[in-house]
Amino acid sequence: KVVAVIMVGGPTKGTRFRPLSFNTPKPLIPLAGQPMIHHPISACKKISNLAQIFLIGFYEEREFALYVSSISNELKIPVRYLKEDKPHGSAGALYYFRDRIMEEKPSHVFLLNCDVCCSFPLQGILDAHRRYGGIGTMLVIKVSAEAASQFGELIADPDTKELLHYTEKPETFVSDLINCGVYVFTSDIFNAIEEVYSQIRDASSNYQSATRSVPADFVRLDQDILSPLAGKKQLYTYENKDFWEQIKTPGKSLKCSALYLSQFRQTSPHILASGDGTNRKPNIIGDVYIHPSVKLHPTAKIGPNVSISANVRVGPGVRLISCIILDDVEIKDNAVVINSIIGWKSSIGRWSRVQASGDYNERLGITILGEAVTVEDEVAVIGSIVLQNKTLNVSVQDDIIL
Ligand code: GDD
């Protein structure tokens, strides 16, 4: 038997996701029409002998209650949300719930960060881990040297794949091979974390004062476990050859939505919308997800990279390109939405435009409307972030509307 743990973090971690994370925990924000954590969860479902999936976080239980009960029913796998009383760090949180996680005596525990977008080759990681031995195997990927410093950088033995050296977000370049935040461990990981706790408790050890800037019961998987265990024939790497992105900003979520939509094109094309503008069906271009409850006017033109959630109404002549439209939004006649995320219950007026600014890139420049924003008729909202419940009756550009 194996179990999977997905680290979902908590409200203080989602601040870069504002205004979307004001009323919805970041892990539940939809990408390609499904909550962010739906994608790793459905990848877990494919592992043979998977007994349970745990979500560990410090969000209120009620925020995940509906999702865990519906996904458990849908996948026929128990998915449980375990709430920490406060953050314990990525390894500390795992350790905190060790009895629950080990209840059914699994041989292996998968550990996944919630905020990565990936095809999650979990069975491949497990098979490789069984060949390597040791206490854990981590998914790694090559990125550009400039991008690497935002991640854990590492050096692996090219033949044995052993993790030889690990540094979390180093200031000077170590390697373009980085940690993807996806691991499999044997139960020995709990002994390794226990060991760190006892080092911290040990007053005679210089460990705490010399290297730690966090509370004594806070244990980070990367700095406190991976770095010291590197080069000891305990940890191994499995290189990801498929797509991988980290999802720290809403701009990244647009890109990740596109990646998951194109994955659906390969794995489950029936989820995607189709139509060529004839037979009263709208014109669909490229990969588009449309929830079955959406009311879409046949003269609308949608795509590529668009996902439209439940109960959205899209009027005549509307054009949507590269955007995420959340539940209960209304987009009125001839409005245009490009490179934007439209929050729940928002309304976009006739002949209005909502789009990224000219120098759009994945990090900044996209437009995000929070929940229940009203854009009146003939208003342009360009490269701006608009907080919830605002009404815009004049055009704005490169602005934050509080
Ligand atoms: N439950 C819980 N409790 N979850 C936590 C806590 C905690 O105290 N702290 C972090 N997390 C969750 C986050 O929500 C995230 O899913 C994951 O653990 C890792 O978060 P961080 O520890 O903040 O690290 P990071 O995301 O900046 O970087 C990590 O992931 C990168 C890949 O995305 C590192 O492991 C990097 O090396 C790695 O490249």
Side-chain angles (χ1 to χ4, degrees):
K1 254 186 252 170
V2 304
V3 298
V5 174
I6 303 178
M7 285 296 159
V8 300
T12 57
K13 293 260 168 182
T15 50
R16 277 185 280 179
F17 250 78
R18 284 177 186 166
L20 299 173
S21 59
F22 267 119
N23 353 6
T24 298
K26 172 177 144 177
L28 295 181
I29 290 172
L31 304 178
Q34 306 290 338
M36 189 184 290
I37 44 168
H38 175 87
H39 302 281
I41 289 177
S42 44
C44 290
K45 164 79 181 167
K46 299 200 192 88
I47 310 165
S48 40
N49 301 319
L50 181 80
Q52 282 197 71
I53 300 173
F54 299 100
L55 312 180
I56 300 183
F58 45 99
Y59 289 101
E60 290 307 321
E61 229 146 339
R62 60 181 158 74
E63 302 208 68
F64 281 85
L66 201 61
Y67 178 73
V68 296
S69 80
S70 76
I71 194 73
S72 301
N73 285 333
E74 190 188 321
L75 298 184
K76 315 256 177 306
I77 292 250
V79 181
R80 298 229 154 74
Y81 178 71
L82 304 178
K83 182 186 181 293
E84 294 168 85
D85 51 350
K86 58 170 188 185
H88 293 84
S90 40
L94 188 73
Y95 186 77
Y96 190 74
F97 289 111
R98 63 197 177 282
D99 295 340
R100 292 294 301 278
I101 295 166
M102 295 310 291
E103 219 164 44
E104 299 192 45
K105 304 199 166 36
S107 60
H108 295 87
V109 178
F110 281 94
L111 181 67
L112 289 75
N113 292 0
C114 72
D115 56 1
V116 298
C117 166
C118 177
S119 55
F120 299 105
L122 301 176
Q123 192 65 49
I125 300 173
L126 180 59
D127 294 343
H129 177 75
R130 289 195 165 115
R131 290 194 304 273
Y132 302 146
I135 77 169
T137 294
M138 61 197 284
L139 189 67
V140 302
I141 194 168
K142 268 207 164 66
V143 299
S144 71
E146 306 81 71
S149 64
Q150 312 159 46
F151 308 108
E153 296 184 13
L154 57 100
I155 294 166
D157 186 304
D159 302 318
T160 66
K161 309 296 176 197
E162 189 198 340
L163 178 72
L164 297 176
H165 179 73
Y166 185 92
T167 321
E168 184 62 21
K169 306 184 182 89
E171 274 166 26
T172 50
F173 179 74
V174 173
S175 165
D176 57 0
L177 200 57
I178 61 124
N179 173 8
C180 293
V182 177
Y183 318 81
V184 70
F185 294 111
T186 66
S187 62
D188 289 333
I189 185 65
F190 295 106
N191 303 333
I193 304 171
E194 172 78 60
E195 178 70 15
V196 174
Y197 275 119
S198 70
Q199 277 177 296
I200 296 169
R201 275 193 301 266
D202 182 359
S204 65
S205 157
N206 298 325
Y207 186 78
Q208 166 78 358
S209 51
T211 59
R212 290 176 57 88
S213 52
V214 292
D217 59 353
F218 196 93
V219 178
R220 300 155 299 184
L221 188 67
D222 19 60
Q223 289 99 320
D224 298 324
I225 304 287
L226 303 180
S227 288
L229 283 185
K232 298 196 172 128
K233 298 204 166 28
Q234 304 268 34
L235 296 172
Y236 292 85
T237 59
Y238 180 83
E239 194 170 338
N240 185 16
K241 301 288 186 194
D242 210 347
F243 65 91
W244 183 86
E245 289 287 338
Q246 196 185 40
I247 324 167
K248 294 287 186 199
T249 62
K252 267 299 177 68
S253 67
L254 261 189
K255 176 167 194 190
C256 293
S257 194
L259 289 169
Y260 282 136
L261 286 171
S262 80
Q263 189 188 30
F264 285 159
R265 176 70 67 200
Q266 306 303 315
T267 60
S268 31
H270 61 276
I271 295 178
L272 298 179
S274 60
D276 60 1
T278 62
N279 299 324
R280 295 197 46 79
K281 285 184 97 185
N283 201 339
I284 305 289
I285 300 150
D287 300 336
V288 171
Y289 169 84
I290 300 174
H291 189 274
S293 62
V294 170
K295 289 201 173 58
L296 198 57
H297 195 276
T299 60
K301 194 171 172 184
I302 317 282
N305 181 27
V306 172
S307 77
I308 310 181
S309 292
N311 304 315
V312 169
R313 286 144 294 155
V314 178
V318 164
R319 183 72 179 101
L320 306 179
I321 303 171
S322 184
C323 56
I324 297 176
I325 314 290
L326 298 173
D327 299 37
D328 304 306
V329 166
E330 176 166 27
I331 303 176
K332 294 182 184 164
D333 315 16
N334 305 307
V336 175
V337 180
I338 306 174
N339 289 322
S340 299
I341 303 178
I342 310 300
W344 309 265
K345 304 192 185 80
S346 290
S347 159
I348 297 176
R350 293 178 184 81
W351 296 103
S352 285
R353 278 187 89 83
V354 177
Q355 62 171 70
S357 53
D359 59 352
Y360 163 68
N361 65 53
E362 284 142 29
R363 270 161 46 74
L364 74 186
I366 79 161
T367 286
I368 305 164
L369 306 188
E371 181 164 5
V373 167
T374 303
V375 176
E376 294 195 338
D377 293 355
E378 296 173 40
V379 167
V381 186
I382 299 176
S384 295
I385 294 174
V386 184
L387 263 68
Q388 58 271 38
N389 305 313
K390 296 288 159 200
T391 296
L392 294 179
N393 49 22
V394 291
S395 296
V396 292
Q397 179 156 6
D398 301 320
D399 209 346
I400 297 175
I401 312 294
L402 299 169

